[in-house]
Amino acid sequence: MALHILSFFQRRWPAWMLLCAAAGPASGAAPASDADPLAAERWKTRPLVVVAPSPDDPVLQAVLAAARSDGGRRAFADRDMVLFTVVGTTGQREGRALSPGATQALLKALALPPSDDGVLVLVGKDGGAKLAQRHPVDLPAVYAEIDGMPMRQNEVKRSPR
């Protein structure tokens, strides 16, 4: 089967195109691990990004406590939310480490400079920033913002009860 597919393409594509396809992206392209992690979430999830200068930042602690609670886990799951954290220069998605390049790409995509204060940013499924908060964090307001989005309202209408 694979031989038939290859011969099909060889008859229709010049050899240089096959070589380019086999070689992959241009050598100047950033490795996938350093790509903006929000791009992979587009149209799938609603990222909640918390950027904090230290692990004991009140914004980070409030969001982590809520995300670990039963109600918080349910609220995140119901709204297709994923949690990104950046503490200092270390980024994570749902507790799994991001590469330093991906962490920088995340901060750049949100135009978030390093800060002495923690910040929470809600990103919609369309990839746009929808809400930003500093301490004190109001997660019910975040959930209300999501619930007011037309896409979310359509999801609720379509979901079985």
Side-chain angles (χ1 to χ4, degrees):
M1 178 70 173
L3 189 54
H4 292 296
I5 293 170
L6 181 59
S7 65
F8 170 82
F9 283 113
Q10 285 175 333
R11 286 192 305 262
R12 286 167 177 75
W13 285 12
W16 67 270
M17 290 179 100
L18 285 174
L19 287 172
C20 290
S27 60
S33 63
D34 289 347
D36 172 15
L38 295 178
E41 304 293 338
R42 191 166 289 138
W43 306 117
K44 298 175 190 170
T45 66
R46 294 179 179 92
L48 187 65
V49 182
V50 179
V51 180
S54 68
D56 59 344
D57 182 83
V59 172
L60 178 65
Q61 290 303 311
V63 172
L64 289 177
R68 291 178 184 140
S69 72
D70 289 340
R73 282 194 301 270
R74 196 168 30 259
F76 270 59
D78 288 348
R79 293 168 178 84
D80 298 329
M81 295 171 66
V82 294
L83 179 61
F84 282 89
T85 59
V86 178
V87 179
T89 59
T90 304
Q92 295 185 339
R93 179 197 185 274
E94 296 286 313
R96 293 196 173 118
L98 297 174
S99 72
T103 301
Q104 288 303 312
L106 172 68
L107 295 172
K108 183 178 178 183
L110 294 173
L112 290 175
S115 172
D116 292 337
D117 299 321
V119 63
L120 167 151
V121 179
L122 171 64
V123 178
K125 283 188 175 183
D126 64 357
K130 305 299 180 190
L131 177 93
Q133 293 182 354
R134 296 202 182 268
H135 185 69
V137 172
D138 184 3
L139 284 174
V142 172
Y143 302 145
E145 179 74 20
I146 293 170
D147 292 343
M149 295 175 180
M151 187 181 296
R152 170 68 177 151
Q153 292 172 357
N154 288 334
E155 292 167 357
V156 170
K157 287 178 190 173
R158 288 191 313 248
S159 71
R161 303 242 172 205

